[in-house]
Amino acid sequence: MDKNKIEGFDMAVKPLAAVVALAVAQWALPVHAQELGEGQQNATGLQSVVVTANKRVEKLESVPMAISVISEAELQRNNVREIEDIVALTPSLTQASGTTAANNALFMRGIGTVSVGIGVESDVSVILDDIPIAVQFQAFRDLADVARVEVLKGPQSTLFGKSAVAGAINIVTKPISGPVIYRGSAYYTDDKEWRLAASVGGRMTDTFGMRIAVNKSDMPGNFTNLTNGEKVNGSSGKTMMAKFSWTPIKNLDIDFMPQYNEQENTRGVTAVNGFYRTTGSAAAGNLERIPVDISTAYMNGNPQLPASLVLAGIDPTNPNNRYVRRDSPTGIASRTHGAGLKLSYTLPNDATLMSISSYQRYKANDSRDQDFTDVPTIARPGETRFSVGNLQFGSYDITSKTQELRLVSPDAGNLRYVAGLWWARNEIERHFIRGFCVAPAVCAANSPSSPTNYYTDIYNVNKAVFGQATWDFAPTWTLVAGLRRNLEESGFNYARNFYTDQLDRSTFVPGPVGKDVFSNTGNEDWATTGKLSLQKQLTREWMVYAMTATGHKGKAYDVTSGLQPSAAFPVDPEKSRTYELGTKANLLNNRLSIAATVYHTDFRHYQQNTSFVLPDDPTIYTQLNSIPKIRTRGFEIDANMLLATNWSMNASMAYTRPTIEDWKNGPCYQDNTNPVIPGTGAGEGGSLGGWNRDCFAIRPGATTGVQDLSGGIFPGTPKIKVNIGSNYDIRFPSLPFGAFINGNVRYQSDYQTNINNDPRSVNDSYTIADLGFGIRDNKDRYRLSFQIKNLFDRFYIPNANASGPSFRAGPTSTSPSITVNSWVPPRDVFRYFSMKLDVKF
């Protein structure tokens, strides 16, 4: 057997075996605990879980759709801070990390939208307390005061509209209830991350209640910038969320929900962790890596940029290199403020009429050190000596307004319904500058450093009517049907030049109309989406269902630096249709709940930004594509178990197979093992020399190639992803406190990261185990917990194709190219320890 496969197997099995051993140890603990805790009342079943996936409160086990719920207890045990932590705990979710957090993307069941432009909406909607977040990357911030997270799988456009074409994440914050309670928490890790949080909430009078929560956090980062000695690849945040609830008259509740957030994120800094040349061919089975003498390597083959200078103090051959050199920042700093207003009136028949209004403003500045070093890489006009660095930077200004009117029927009766009207307006402005080019030079897109300077704005207005009904038409049969009719109007304005010293509107001079200035507004898109499910209650504890639903996402625009006249028009809307069979059961006297789903979903006109780089050019170029058809299929299992007194376990697994069904003009990948054959002008088999062997010129004589990716892998998601968690509480009758121990293990198989199906862009599988323990006051006044993240210190790389610098084995542009690998680390790539104190009074 191959040695690498044996080692990979060992890496996966050993942490799993350790968690099994932890479970065995916990199994032995109940005997001792019961002896100590005799006479105390024990839990006899699982806690009931409610969700609002259908815009009404329902028991999870009764909803005929695939939903994963992360409870407050699970959020606490795993020290969840941000949306990335939710992804780690949910097998149906994955994340694609971009050059900054503004380019991150969430994937549901293998489908998500990767885009560096503001003209493409996401496939997975994020909703916070009934209010959708305007642009998905705004969700990459601290999660504060959260009660639960509902992951709604499959198209959710019927109730949640556009941007839910693949699914939705519904975040529900803690409610106002009971007497006033004060809470506080402090968290610290051995790598100097810290968090502070405080909240106060409860009923002040019979007619007024409030809840205010604040938190502040800082994670310095797990890379060291040798230029200034500071940590990078971290994040920090400040958040304030409040709820004020007033009942001025009988049957009328008014909730006002202001919020504020500041976030600074330096993730996206890449470190070189591979430096070699290759010979042979992967197709021929003789591909071989050759070590490179760093003293003879030069960035872009330029004699002014020897590797010994630009990588001073860095070992680029070290696969877990944690050192970088940067003289300019990489990351994004944002500020969000807004509020929601909810009015709920109970009608005489116990139906509820609701009005939900919201306003949100998001402003951010982003930047990226584009040359990946701290030495100058660009010469000023008229000079040959480098004196300027290569930087890109920009700003976002997003305003969102929403209004929903909703009628919710009483819970009693055989027919239950929700119906409503929806209106929303999003306005997004973007300014972006890349590279360096100033007068007297004549600046153009093909000038050195690929300069660009553009302003763009985009808007969309949505109006919809929707409804969904649940009908118990027979004693054990239930039919659910929903429909939405949506009208979206959208458009954009765009102006560009290539002079990077024109920093604001007052100095900005756009290029010619039709070449650098474009406008396309008033584009309307009518869409109808629906949902239909049939549910059969086999027994009181067990039900099965069949469901189909459609999704729709509006028109997209390719408003990025490379916008051309041929692309200055809308890209067709994206549509989805899913078929799902599922079952849910609550067994063993409410000690085991299980949900299993098998699904098949097709997406047509899938909107996707593809990114690529060119030789000796660090610039990341993008192109918006409309892929004719992609598909995702798979099955999922979620289970919660009460194994013994005070011992619970949760397990979830997803098998996901997203594929490209039809895309004959897909992008290629570079392959220097397929050189141009002398005398032919082409590579092997007539392919485009320097690119993969399935890549052919888009037309005779062209240097741009395409490949038929039909039947290929749609990237970003492992075939198998598993998460298992366990918690055991120990009671001491003679002491005022008890103890607990918990563990969590997650596994994911290897997966392709690039849509061009480059075999070098495959992430290896990994298994990560965490261990926690602590003590808790019997009256729940305090809790002191300790946790070891990445217990076995398993190293893994989540971004096999992260962008980085280009080098050649010599001081000329024709010197042999060097393969350079770069990576961005996840938070827990290196083992760390944490301590947290929670208090309540």
Side-chain angles (χ1 to χ4, degrees):
M1 183 179 292
D2 183 72
K3 180 181 178 181
N4 291 332
K5 290 185 178 180
I6 294 175
E7 290 177 351
F9 179 78
D10 287 343
M11 289 182 67
V13 169
K14 287 180 180 178
L16 287 170
V19 172
V20 172
L22 174 64
V24 172
Q26 289 181 324
W27 186 274
L29 283 171
V31 176
H32 179 63
Q34 286 173 354
E35 291 173 354
L36 294 175
E38 187 174 342
Q40 291 191 359
Q41 185 176 353
N42 298 316
T44 59
L46 295 168
Q47 290 186 349
S48 179
V49 178
V50 297
V51 294
T52 53
N54 286 325
K55 291 188 179 262
R56 63 184 306 131
V57 177
E58 299 172 293
K59 287 186 177 180
L60 174 63
E61 63 202 55
S62 303
V63 181
M65 62 183 289
I67 307 172
S68 292
V69 177
I70 303 176
S71 66
E72 182 181 356
E74 194 172 354
L75 295 170
Q76 285 273 20
R77 282 200 305 270
N78 291 280
N79 291 321
V80 168
R81 175 191 167 196
E82 49 198 353
I83 202 78
E84 291 95 325
D85 301 322
I86 301 297
V87 173
L89 295 173
T90 311
S92 58
L93 284 175
T94 50
Q95 175 187 325
S97 298
T99 53
T100 70
N103 299 327
N104 289 351
L106 297 172
F107 283 55
M108 183 84 73
R109 290 178 168 175
I111 306 299
T113 299
V114 176
S115 176
V116 297
I118 62 172
V120 186
E121 296 182 277
S122 64
D123 278 15
V124 180
S125 180
V126 181
I127 301 106
L128 178 63
D129 285 340
D130 278 322
I131 298 170
I133 293 176
V135 179
Q136 189 191 77
F137 66 74
Q138 294 176 249
F140 287 87
R141 65 190 191 199
D142 287 358
L143 299 175
D145 211 37
V146 176
R148 69 178 182 274
V149 177
E150 304 171 6
V151 180
L152 317 180
K153 307 167 192 176
Q156 304 294 324
S157 295
T158 302
L159 292 182
F160 295 102
K162 66 190 184 72
S163 296
V165 68
I169 301 173
N170 188 29
I171 302 171
V172 182
T173 60
K174 296 175 183 176
I176 301 170
S177 62
V180 176
I181 294 177
Y182 300 85
R183 298 177 185 266
S185 70
Y187 174 90
Y188 189 76
T189 70
D190 66 330
D191 59 359
K192 299 184 180 180
E193 178 186 356
W194 58 266
R195 310 173 196 170
L196 294 173
S199 68
V200 56
R203 305 299 305 184
M204 313 293 289
T205 68
D206 291 341
T207 60
F208 181 76
M210 57 168 273
R211 184 174 184 87
I212 301 174
V214 296
N215 76 290
K216 188 175 182 179
S217 64
D218 181 62
M219 193 276 162
N222 43 21
F223 277 174
T224 300
N225 185 359
L226 295 177
T227 305
N228 54 21
E230 295 180 356
K231 293 289 186 179
V232 290
N233 264 317
S235 63
S236 61
K238 302 175 186 176
T239 303
M240 186 283 292
M241 301 186 71
K243 291 182 180 180
F244 301 97
S245 180
W246 181 39
T247 306
I249 60 174
K250 184 180 179 181
N251 295 341
L252 176 63
D253 294 319
I254 301 175
D255 295 316
F256 178 60
M257 301 166 288
Q259 59 175 277
Y260 177 85
N261 172 264
E262 287 183 18
Q263 204 76 23
E264 188 165 345
N265 192 315
T266 62
R267 292 171 187 164
V269 177
T270 61
V272 176
N273 68 333
F275 207 76
Y276 55 90
R277 291 185 57 208
T278 58
T279 61
S281 164
N286 61 352
L287 185 65
E288 182 180 357
R289 292 189 178 187
I290 302 174
V292 175
D293 183 356
I294 297 176
S295 65
T296 63
Y298 294 80
M299 179 185 283
N300 303 330
N302 193 296
Q304 296 187 50
L305 301 173
S308 58
L309 175 65
V310 298
L311 297 176
I314 298 171
D315 179 5
T317 65
N318 182 359
N320 62 349
N321 169 45
R322 301 166 69 175
Y323 295 101
V324 301
R325 285 195 171 275
R326 300 289 192 276
D327 57 357
S328 297
T330 291
I332 185 168
S334 64
R335 179 175 296 181
T336 306
H337 69 272
L341 179 64
K342 182 185 297 186
L343 284 70
S344 303
Y345 184 76
T346 303
L347 300 173
N349 67 343
D350 287 332
T352 303
L353 180 62
M354 305 173 67
S355 169
I356 305 172
S357 311
S358 77
Y359 169 85
Q360 190 171 89
R361 182 79 178 272
Y362 172 92
K363 301 188 75 173
N365 295 301
D366 65 311
S367 59
R368 184 172 188 250
D369 192 322
Q370 185 77 358
D371 51 21
F372 311 103
T373 186
D374 58 359
V375 299
T377 58
I378 302 173
R380 292 181 177 274
E383 299 179 1
T384 58
R385 201 75 187 161
F386 293 156
S387 58
V388 180
N390 191 349
L391 175 67
Q392 69 177 38
F393 57 95
S395 62
Y396 294 91
D397 191 345
I398 303 173
T399 302
S400 175
K401 303 172 186 177
T402 69
Q403 175 62 53
E404 179 181 356
L405 296 177
R406 185 190 307 174
L407 178 64
V408 183
S409 71
D411 292 331
N414 293 333
L415 180 64
R416 301 171 298 281
Y417 59 85
V418 58
L421 300 173
W422 171 260
W423 176 89
R425 182 180 181 90
N426 295 320
E427 298 173 350
I428 308 172
E429 297 180 4
R430 173 70 162 148
H431 180 213
F432 180 78
I433 296 177
R434 181 186 65 218
F436 179 82
C437 194
V438 298
V442 178
C443 301
N446 59 356
S447 298
S449 78
S450 304
T452 192
N453 184 352
Y454 71 82
Y455 286 89
T456 185
D457 61 80
I458 190 167
Y459 77 94
N460 57 69
V461 179
N462 279 267
K463 304 171 185 177
V465 56
F466 65 88
Q468 182 169 292
T470 302
W471 179 29
D472 300 328
F473 64 92
T476 59
W477 291 89
T478 300
L479 182 70
V480 178
L483 199 65
R484 185 185 192 96
R485 182 65 170 167
N486 194 94
L487 169 62
E488 179 178 54
E489 180 193 332
S490 62
F492 77 94
N493 298 290
Y494 181 95
R496 173 181 59 201
N497 70 30
F498 303 98
Y499 292 88
T500 58
D501 57 345
Q502 299 178 11
L503 300 179
D504 54 46
R505 284 282 194 179
S506 64
T507 60
F508 179 79
V509 180
V513 175
K515 180 180 179 182
D516 294 314
V517 176
F518 306 97
S519 182
N520 193 309
T521 60
N523 298 301
E524 291 191 350
D525 176 38
W526 284 93
T528 302
T529 54
K531 176 182 179 181
L532 184 67
S533 72
L534 182 64
Q535 175 183 341
K536 168 65 175 176
Q537 200 72 35
L538 300 176
T539 68
R540 183 179 178 182
E541 298 83 11
W542 201 305
M543 71 93 148
V544 295
Y545 68 90
M547 187 268 289
T548 184
T550 58
H552 184 94
K553 188 173 75 171
K555 297 179 179 181
Y557 303 89
D558 192 11
V559 286
T560 55
S561 60
L563 180 61
Q564 298 298 319
S566 60
F569 55 86
V571 173
D572 288 341
E574 181 180 327
K575 302 178 181 181
S576 65
R577 177 180 290 275
T578 191
Y579 299 94
E580 188 173 300
L581 295 174
T583 182
K584 295 185 178 183
N586 195 312
L587 308 172
L588 304 178
N589 294 320
N590 194 32
R591 298 176 71 89
L592 170 64
S593 68
I594 188 168
T597 309
V598 59
Y599 64 89
H600 174 117
T601 311
D602 286 334
F603 291 77
R604 295 188 181 275
H605 306 297
Y606 173 78
Q607 300 163 354
Q608 172 75 35
N609 261 122
T610 56
S611 301
F612 57 94
V613 295
L614 300 175
D616 305 325
D617 185 352
T619 303
I620 298 178
Y621 297 94
T622 63
Q623 179 179 344
L624 180 61
N625 295 279
S626 179
I627 302 176
K629 183 179 180 181
I630 63 175
R631 171 177 293 164
T632 183
R633 293 173 291 180
F635 65 88
E636 302 153 335
I637 299 176
D638 288 273
N640 289 275
M641 297 151 277
L642 192 63
L643 299 176
T645 304
N646 300 334
W647 182 18
S648 62
M649 181 173 286
N650 60 277
S652 52
M653 187 274 288
Y655 174 87
T656 313
R657 294 305 294 153
T659 56
I660 302 170
E661 294 297 302
D662 180 16
W663 195 16
K664 295 179 174 56
N665 296 312
C668 305
Y669 58 87
Q670 295 180 45
D671 185 356
N672 58 17
T673 69
N674 181 33
V676 174
I677 300 173
T680 68
E684 185 178 315
S687 61
L688 196 63
W691 298 83
N692 59 299
R693 288 164 175 79
D694 293 323
C695 180
F696 295 90
I698 196 167
R699 59 181 177 273
T703 58
T704 300
V706 295
Q707 63 171 323
D708 187 354
L709 283 170
S710 303
I713 298 171
F714 188 81
T717 301
K719 182 186 296 185
I720 298 174
K721 192 177 177 188
V722 179
N723 185 77
I724 302 172
S726 179
N727 183 79
Y728 182 75
D729 292 318
I730 308 169
R731 296 174 177 174
F732 307 112
S734 60
L735 296 175
F737 62 85
F740 58 87
I741 181 173
N742 54 58
N744 195 85
V745 62
R746 68 183 193 272
Y747 165 80
Q748 68 176 46
S749 59
D750 58 6
Y751 67 99
Q752 174 62 249
T753 66
N754 201 315
I755 200 165
N756 61 23
N757 279 215
D758 185 345
R760 299 164 297 186
S761 299
V762 174
N763 283 358
D764 292 333
S765 62
Y766 62 84
T767 304
I768 302 296
D770 304 325
L771 176 66
F773 54 91
I775 59 173
R776 178 172 47 216
D777 175 58
N778 290 340
K779 295 182 179 180
D780 201 26
R781 293 172 300 186
Y782 66 83
R783 172 188 173 107
L784 181 63
S785 56
F786 303 86
Q787 190 175 48
I788 307 171
K789 282 286 191 179
N790 195 351
L791 178 64
F792 299 99
D793 204 19
R794 297 300 188 194
F795 178 80
Y796 67 103
I797 298 177
N799 296 288
N801 62 336
S803 60
S806 298
F807 285 86
R808 290 186 175 272
T812 68
S813 60
T814 58
S815 299
S817 63
I818 296 172
T819 299
V820 181
N821 295 338
S822 298
W823 75 302
V824 178
R827 173 65 183 96
D828 60 352
V829 67
F830 305 110
R831 179 171 53 208
Y832 68 94
F833 305 85
S834 68
M835 177 176 67
K836 185 181 182 185
L837 175 65
D838 295 281
V839 296
K840 182 175 74 172
F841 54 93

Coordinates of all heavy atoms in Angstrom, one line a residue, residues 10 22 75-76 81 110 123 138 157 190 225 306 308 345 445 449 502 559 564 569 571 580 630 673 679 754:
D10 N -3.7 6.9 9.0 CA -3.3 7.1 10.4 C -3.7 8.4 11.0 O -4.3 8.5 12.1 CB -1.8 6.9 10.6 CG -1.4 5.4 10.5 OD1 -2.3 4.6 10.5 OD2 -0.2 5.2 10.3
L22 N -12.3 8.7 24.6 CA -13.0 9.7 25.5 C -14.4 9.3 25.8 O -14.8 9.4 26.9 CB -12.9 11.1 24.8 CG -13.7 12.2 25.5 CD1 -13.1 12.5 26.8 CD2 -13.7 13.5 24.6
L75 N -23.0 26.1 21.0 CA -22.2 27.3 20.7 C -21.2 27.7 21.8 O -20.1 28.0 21.6 CB -23.1 28.5 20.4 CG -24.1 28.5 19.2 CD1 -25.1 29.6 19.3 CD2 -23.3 28.6 17.9
Q76 N -21.7 27.5 23.0 CA -20.9 27.8 24.2 C -19.8 26.8 24.3 O -18.6 27.1 24.6 CB -21.8 27.7 25.5 CG -22.6 28.9 25.7 CD -21.9 30.0 26.4 OE1 -20.7 30.1 26.5 NE2 -22.7 31.0 27.0
R81 N -17.3 32.0 17.8 CA -17.2 33.5 17.8 C -17.7 34.1 16.5 O -18.3 35.2 16.5 CB -15.7 33.9 17.9 CG -15.4 35.3 17.8 CD -14.0 35.6 17.6 NE -13.7 37.0 17.2 CZ -12.6 37.4 16.7 NH1 -11.6 36.6 16.6 NH2 -12.5 38.7 16.3
G110 N -22.4 22.1 -1.2 CA -21.4 22.2 -2.3 C -21.6 23.3 -3.3 O -20.8 23.5 -4.2
D123 N -25.3 32.8 -3.1 CA -26.3 31.7 -3.2 C -26.9 31.3 -1.9 O -27.9 30.6 -1.8 CB -25.6 30.4 -3.9 CG -25.6 30.5 -5.4 OD1 -25.8 31.7 -5.9 OD2 -25.3 29.5 -6.0
Q138 N -20.9 40.6 4.7 CA -21.1 41.3 5.9 C -21.3 40.4 7.1 O -21.2 40.8 8.3 CB -22.4 42.2 5.8 CG -22.2 43.3 4.8 CD -23.5 44.1 4.6 OE1 -24.2 44.0 3.6 NE2 -23.9 44.8 5.6
S157 N -36.0 30.2 -1.6 CA -36.5 31.4 -2.2 C -37.9 31.7 -1.9 O -38.3 32.8 -2.0 CB -36.2 31.4 -3.7 OG -34.8 31.3 -4.0
D190 N -3.7 30.8 24.9 CA -2.2 30.9 25.1 C -1.6 31.6 23.9 O -0.4 32.0 24.0 CB -1.6 29.6 25.3 CG -1.8 28.6 24.1 OD1 -2.7 28.8 23.4 OD2 -0.9 27.8 23.9
N225 N 4.8 39.1 10.7 CA 5.3 39.9 9.7 C 6.7 40.4 10.1 O 6.8 41.2 11.0 CB 4.4 41.1 9.5 CG 4.8 42.0 8.3 OD1 5.8 41.8 7.7 ND2 4.1 43.1 8.1
P306 N 16.1 39.6 -6.0 CA 16.5 38.3 -5.6 C 15.7 37.7 -4.5 O 15.3 38.4 -3.6 CB 18.0 38.5 -5.3 CG 18.1 39.9 -4.8 CD 17.1 40.6 -5.7
S308 N 16.7 36.1 -2.0 CA 17.4 36.3 -0.8 C 17.0 37.7 -0.1 O 17.1 37.8 1.1 CB 18.9 36.3 -1.0 OG 19.3 37.2 -1.9
Y345 N -49.3 42.3 16.1 CA -50.7 42.5 16.6 C -51.4 41.2 16.5 O -51.6 40.6 15.4 CB -51.4 43.6 15.8 CG -52.8 43.9 16.4 CD1 -52.9 44.7 17.6 CD2 -53.9 43.5 15.8 CE1 -54.1 45.0 18.1 CE2 -55.2 43.8 16.3 CZ -55.2 44.5 17.5 OH -56.5 44.8 18.0
A445 N -4.5 49.4 -19.2 CA -4.7 48.1 -18.5 C -3.4 47.2 -18.6 O -3.2 46.5 -17.6 CB -5.9 47.4 -19.0
S449 N 2.3 46.4 -13.6 CA 1.5 46.3 -12.4 C 0.0 46.2 -12.6 O -0.8 46.2 -11.7 CB 1.8 47.4 -11.4 OG 1.2 48.6 -11.7
Q502 N -5.2 59.3 -8.7 CA -6.5 60.1 -8.6 C -7.3 59.4 -7.5 O -8.1 58.5 -7.8 CB -7.1 60.1 -10.0 CG -6.3 60.8 -11.0 CD -6.9 60.7 -12.4 OE1 -8.1 60.4 -12.6 NE2 -6.2 61.1 -13.4
V559 N -19.0 43.8 -12.9 CA -18.5 45.2 -12.6 C -17.2 45.0 -11.8 O -17.1 45.4 -10.6 CB -19.5 46.1 -11.9 CG1 -20.5 46.5 -12.8 CG2 -20.1 45.4 -10.7
Q564 N -15.4 44.8 -19.9 CA -15.3 45.2 -21.3 C -16.6 45.5 -21.9 O -17.7 45.1 -21.4 CB -14.6 44.0 -22.1 CG -13.2 43.7 -21.6 CD -12.2 44.8 -21.9 OE1 -12.3 45.5 -22.9 NE2 -11.4 45.1 -20.9
F569 N -23.4 44.1 -19.8 CA -24.9 43.8 -19.8 C -25.1 42.7 -18.8 O -24.2 42.0 -18.3 CB -25.3 43.3 -21.2 CG -24.5 42.1 -21.7 CD1 -24.9 40.8 -21.4 CD2 -23.4 42.3 -22.5 CE1 -24.1 39.7 -21.8 CE2 -22.6 41.2 -22.9 CZ -23.0 39.9 -22.6
V571 N -26.0 39.3 -16.8 CA -25.8 37.9 -16.9 C -27.2 37.3 -16.5 O -27.8 37.7 -15.5 CB -24.7 37.4 -16.1 CG1 -24.6 35.8 -16.1 CG2 -23.4 37.9 -16.6
E580 N -36.1 16.1 -2.7 CA -35.6 15.7 -1.4 C -36.5 14.7 -0.8 O -37.8 14.8 -0.8 CB -35.5 16.9 -0.5 CG -34.8 16.7 0.8 CD -34.6 18.0 1.5 OE1 -34.0 18.9 1.0 OE2 -35.2 18.2 2.6
I630 N -25.1 23.0 -13.4 CA -24.3 22.3 -12.4 C -25.3 21.5 -11.5 O -26.5 21.8 -11.5 CB -23.4 23.2 -11.5 CG1 -24.3 24.1 -10.7 CG2 -22.4 23.9 -12.3 CD1 -23.5 25.0 -9.7
T673 N 4.6 21.3 -17.9 CA 5.0 20.0 -18.4 C 4.4 19.7 -19.8 O 4.6 18.7 -20.4 CB 4.7 18.9 -17.5 OG1 3.2 18.7 -17.4 CG2 5.2 19.1 -16.1
G679 N 8.1 23.6 -34.0 CA 7.6 23.3 -35.4 C 6.1 23.2 -35.5 O 5.5 23.2 -36.6
N754 N -10.2 24.4 -7.1 CA -10.2 25.3 -8.3 C -11.2 24.8 -9.3 O -11.3 23.6 -9.6 CB -8.8 25.4 -8.9 CG -8.7 26.6 -9.7 OD1 -9.5 27.0 -10.5 ND2 -7.6 27.3 -9.5

